[in-house]
Amino acid sequence: MSATALAIFSVVADRVALAAQPAPDPVLKKIAALEARVAALESKNREYKRQLDHAPSQIPSEEAAQVRQANAAIPAPIAMRPQAQASWTGAFWGASAGGAATRSATSSVEQATMGSAGYNTADASGPARNGGGFLDLFAGWNTQMSRVVVGGQLEATAADLNFGSAGARAYTYFNAGVPTGATGIGDYRPQVNARWMASALLRGGVLLDDRTLVYGLGGWTYARFESRNITDNAFYQPNESFSASGPTGGFGIEHQLDFNWRVRAEYRYTKFEGTRTQDQFAANTAGIIQTYSRSTQYDQSMQSGRIGFAYALDPLR
């Protein structure tokens, strides 16, 4: 075989061998590309996990830094002034209500004549204990000096207080000015009631705290009384009115509810000075002269308790 033929034969053999080799499979290329993609995703996923593991400690620090920066920009708060308390200095008015335990004793002497005959009586009752209720209206002024409060008030009282008592009446009879020796005993039950009173009082006390005052009081009380059943004279049964007055003393406590309103509770003792009344009359009935005279002594006192509310008109703050 010639050289030329050998060369041609070699070239043909190489081409045949090259054609016989298998070509790369497209499926394998895709698998390889997917494997590379998965590896990249796994790497990225690991990076995300590392970031999440550190996030809890990083986020609060970042937030704390932001809070510190925000607080640094806010000016320091201004100190608030404490709430002011109402002063006790100033005018006030108010009302109170309560009850009283009364003590009374009454004595009387009486003489009645009809013509030349007649009788004398010596009457005595008590001491008896009764009671009743009342309603006050008052107005006044306080002055506060450090922890001390002084002041005064005027007060008007509508009352229904029973000062009645019970006792005995002793009779002695006479004729032509000479005792007959005849005597008798009867009941003596004077009915006495107080309908209204008025008081002028001074007060002074100390503050337990800014809102609570304990105080003592003293002054004078005037009262108007009505009396009935003083005499047993059938021709003369007066409904008598008389006045009595006397010193009052006591103590109390008062508490501020706010700048204006206050509540108080008090105890008082009042001793009315002894009061004497005189009555007499004369009449001519069918030529017969009838005379009557009476002198009565009243001694009365009372202990009272009351609860009330006061309103400060213009408290100094």
Side-chain angles (χ1 to χ4, degrees):
M1 183 176 297
S2 65
T4 301
L6 287 173
I8 293 172
F9 179 78
S10 176
V11 171
V12 171
D14 291 337
R15 290 178 177 255
V16 170
L18 183 61
Q21 293 181 357
D25 193 345
V27 176
L28 295 177
K29 291 181 181 180
K30 291 183 179 181
I31 290 175
L34 290 174
E35 289 177 350
R37 182 70 174 172
V38 170
L41 292 174
E42 289 179 350
S43 176
K44 197 68 174 178
N45 189 38
R46 286 192 295 270
E47 181 66 22
Y48 287 155
K49 287 182 178 180
R50 283 195 299 271
Q51 293 177 0
L52 291 175
D53 291 339
H54 293 290
S57 61
Q58 293 173 354
I59 292 174
S61 298
E62 294 174 356
E63 291 181 353
Q66 294 175 358
V67 170
R68 284 194 297 271
Q69 292 175 359
N71 289 340
I74 298 175
I78 300 173
M80 299 297 294
R81 297 171 60 184
Q83 183 179 4
Q85 298 293 338
S87 170
W88 288 83
T89 297
F92 63 86
W93 69 272
S96 58
T102 63
R103 186 178 185 274
S104 61
T106 304
S107 61
S108 179
V109 292
E110 178 182 348
Q111 184 180 79
T113 65
M114 182 173 292
S116 61
Y119 64 85
N120 293 313
T121 68
D123 314 324
S125 67
R129 301 181 185 276
N130 286 291
F134 54 83
L135 176 66
D136 307 313
L137 293 176
F138 57 83
W141 181 275
N142 284 328
T143 298
Q144 180 177 349
M145 299 173 290
S146 184
R147 308 296 295 179
V148 176
V149 177
V150 296
Q153 71 180 45
L154 298 176
E155 181 177 275
T157 301
D160 185 12
L161 298 174
N162 181 3
F163 285 86
S165 55
R169 171 177 280 133
Y171 294 87
T172 58
Y173 295 89
F174 60 86
N175 191 2
V178 178
T180 64
T183 60
I185 298 292
D187 290 332
Y188 179 55
R189 299 181 181 277
Q191 301 170 10
V192 183
N193 298 89
R195 298 305 181 190
W196 63 269
M197 298 181 288
S199 301
L201 303 169
L202 297 176
R203 303 196 314 161
V206 296
L207 294 172
L208 298 180
D209 54 45
D210 290 337
R211 291 181 175 271
T212 305
L213 173 69
V214 292
Y215 60 89
L217 60 86
W220 203 260
T221 297
Y222 172 91
R224 190 68 177 168
F225 295 89
E226 295 178 356
S227 63
R228 298 182 301 278
N229 199 32
I230 301 299
T231 177
D232 65 351
N233 190 308
F235 296 96
Y236 185 62
Q237 291 290 332
N239 290 328
E240 187 178 40
S241 295
F242 66 95
S243 300
S245 63
T248 294
F251 56 86
I253 184 169
E254 187 167 334
H255 181 73
Q256 290 181 346
L257 301 177
D258 56 24
F259 279 108
N260 297 106
W261 286 103
R262 302 166 186 173
V263 61
R264 60 167 63 175
E266 285 182 3
Y267 163 82
R268 297 183 194 175
Y269 174 77
T270 301
K271 175 65 174 74
F272 295 101
E273 295 184 329
T275 302
R276 181 173 293 275
T277 62
Q278 302 282 345
D279 300 284
Q280 62 185 13
F281 80 97
N284 188 335
T285 305
I288 300 176
I289 303 300
Q290 180 180 358
T291 64
Y292 172 82
S293 64
R294 175 173 61 88
S295 176
T296 306
Q297 175 76 24
Y298 300 92
D299 293 288
Q300 301 160 120
S301 63
M302 67 178 183
Q303 300 182 71
S304 60
R306 51 184 33 83
I307 295 176
F309 290 89
Y311 183 84
L313 295 178
D314 187 18
L316 302 180
R317 306 184 179 185

